[in-house]
Amino acid sequence: MQTKLTTEQRSIPVKDGTVILSGYSVSAKTEKGFLCLHYGCAEDQHTAKYSPATCKIKRLVILGHDGYITLAALKWLFDIGAGIIQIGLDGEIILASAPHREHIAIKRAQYAAVDNQNGWDITTYLVTRKAYGQAQVLSKYAHNATCTYQGDTLDTTRFIKSRASEIKQARSIPEVLVLEGIIAVAYWDAISKIYLRFKKKDSKYLPNHWLTFGARHSLINPKVNRNATNPANAMLNYLYALLYAETCIALLGVGLDPYAGIIHQDNPYRASFAYDVMEAARSEVDAWLLDFVSSYTFSRHDFYHKPDGGVRVCLPLARRLAETASLWRAAVIEPVHKVRGRLAR
């Protein structure tokens, strides 16, 4: 006998303007003026119907790549000004888009900024904000951390603030990036020692390098941060992907080009300017994750251990992380408008 699904089981809530579809048989279509959403199969099905006047949807987030969205649904979302983010099972952003209007004058100013004072001002603003944000994170989550610099043992938080104060005194963008790199080494060394809590019954199944935040770089390819090899960095990469998507959408919304970077060099298929601007909000992501880690007990089933040693966030936890999209949407508003204001002068 088939079990009857309850209303609670079938609902798809809108949380802080974000609605999330995940798993199998994802669909988004319209019916008589309503947006109809669905995901799941058998007894684990979720459906919802929304009116454009009352839904308050700002972002539709799709986790995975099984299902469809109709052209009519795209038009429905466009009409209410909602954006779409699609994240693959590996945590990569497949799509990040929202209704926007072109603004060629501001884009011309953005393209020229690589070689003028605007580019310098934007660089120092973004990197300085990132550095002070990192110092604030450490003051809360690793306030006793120390680092070694030029033979001296120093308080890491004070060290980062000291280096951050030097950024505006630098004479070139490469010098700014050197200071950023020095700060990053001290910051991630302090973060790496923070522990994660796992269920006691799972402890014998876990590699030792899963138990702490660990090194920011991948153990598979130490030159990059992608393909995380422990749970903490897998979650951080997932959250950074959300931040990246929200930054792309915010830049499009004010007429800027997410691909034409100033700090990050041009790279085919990479939104380099989004990576520039999101630097200013990375510490907010770090703080959220450290707070989450301090209060959550993980299961080994929250993560998938890939054959090459990489770690992927499994779907239930991925949904929990995706629910933070509204936080990063808010976090990038000020940096995006500060950057646009600089270019519009």
Side-chain angles (χ1 to χ4, degrees):
M1 182 177 178
Q2 187 176 4
T3 302
K4 185 177 180 180
L5 301 177
T6 67
T7 302
E8 183 179 1
Q9 286 174 312
R10 296 176 61 89
S11 67
I12 306 177
V14 179
K15 184 176 181 180
D16 297 324
T18 301
V19 60
I20 301 171
L21 305 181
S22 63
Y24 296 101
S25 302
V26 167
S27 68
K29 60 184 181 180
T30 59
E31 183 178 303
K32 297 181 179 179
F34 291 91
L35 178 68
C36 301
L37 303 179
H38 174 273
Y39 71 88
C41 58
E43 295 180 6
D44 184 28
Q45 296 188 49
H46 303 258
T47 61
K49 182 183 289 187
Y50 302 105
S51 164
T54 60
C55 69
K56 299 181 180 180
I57 295 174
K58 297 296 182 183
R59 200 73 76 239
L60 173 64
V61 179
I62 301 171
L63 310 183
H65 41 72
D66 179 73
Y68 67 89
I69 181 168
T70 66
L71 295 177
L74 291 175
K75 177 64 165 58
W76 194 98
L77 292 166
F78 175 87
D79 287 342
I80 67 167
I84 303 173
I85 298 173
Q86 183 185 3
I87 309 176
L89 296 177
D90 57 358
E92 293 290 323
I93 296 296
I94 298 172
L95 172 69
S97 186
H100 62 277
R101 298 289 186 267
E102 293 298 329
H103 194 314
I104 191 60
I106 200 72
K107 284 186 176 178
R108 290 188 190 280
Q110 178 187 350
Y111 302 148
V114 178
D115 300 311
N116 63 29
Q117 184 66 32
N118 282 340
W120 170 253
D121 291 342
I122 288 169
T123 298
T124 55
Y125 161 69
L126 294 172
V127 178
T128 300
R129 177 167 171 150
K130 175 185 179 182
Y132 279 114
Q134 290 174 325
Q136 187 173 0
V137 168
L138 292 190
S139 69
K140 181 176 181 180
Y141 298 99
H143 61 276
N144 292 323
T146 59
C147 61
T148 301
Y149 184 70
Q150 295 181 346
D152 296 324
T153 300
L154 306 168
D155 177 88
T156 305
T157 301
R158 292 180 182 176
F159 172 76
I160 289 177
K161 288 181 178 179
S162 177
R163 298 290 82 77
S165 68
E166 297 174 7
I167 290 173
K168 289 188 177 181
Q169 301 169 19
R171 291 170 293 181
S172 65
I173 289 179
E175 284 190 24
V176 171
L177 298 183
V178 167
L179 287 169
E180 182 188 32
I182 292 171
I183 290 169
V185 170
Y187 177 73
W188 290 113
D189 180 67
I191 296 296
S192 70
K193 300 175 178 63
I194 294 175
Y195 277 87
L196 278 68
R197 290 186 300 181
F198 281 87
K199 294 179 179 178
K200 187 175 293 186
K201 66 180 182 179
D202 291 335
S203 59
K204 64 181 179 180
Y205 300 106
L206 303 176
N208 286 335
H209 67 276
W210 278 36
L211 303 179
T212 61
F213 211 100
R216 182 68 188 107
H217 61 262
S218 169
L219 297 178
I220 300 171
N221 184 356
K223 293 183 179 180
V224 299
N225 299 330
R226 296 176 62 185
N227 201 6
T229 45
N230 66 23
N233 281 287
M235 290 187 289
L236 188 60
N237 286 350
Y238 204 97
L239 293 170
Y240 280 164
L242 286 166
L243 176 63
Y244 165 81
E246 290 293 351
T247 306
C248 286
I249 290 172
L251 290 170
L252 288 170
V254 298
L256 292 168
D257 183 346
Y259 286 85
I262 295 173
I263 303 173
H264 290 82
Q265 294 182 342
D266 293 343
N267 195 355
Y269 317 117
R270 182 180 75 182
S272 294
F273 197 50
Y275 278 109
D276 288 353
V277 176
M278 68 183 274
E279 296 290 349
R282 282 186 188 267
S283 61
E284 295 187 45
V285 175
D286 301 346
W288 185 92
L289 181 57
L290 290 170
D291 191 60
F292 182 62
V293 163
S294 70
S295 61
Y296 192 86
T297 300
F298 296 96
S299 163
R300 64 188 176 96
H301 300 297
D302 286 329
F303 307 96
Y304 171 66
H305 206 177
K306 297 162 61 178
D308 65 356
V311 175
R312 190 177 77 193
V313 180
C314 290
L315 197 55
L317 180 57
R319 283 188 60 85
R320 176 70 183 88
L321 299 180
E323 290 174 355
T324 65
S326 62
L327 299 178
W328 320 134
R329 187 155 64 247
V332 298
I333 289 175
E334 183 178 344
V336 165
H337 283 277
K338 287 273 190 181
V339 167
R340 190 191 188 282
R342 172 63 61 179
L343 294 171
R345 292 188 311 171

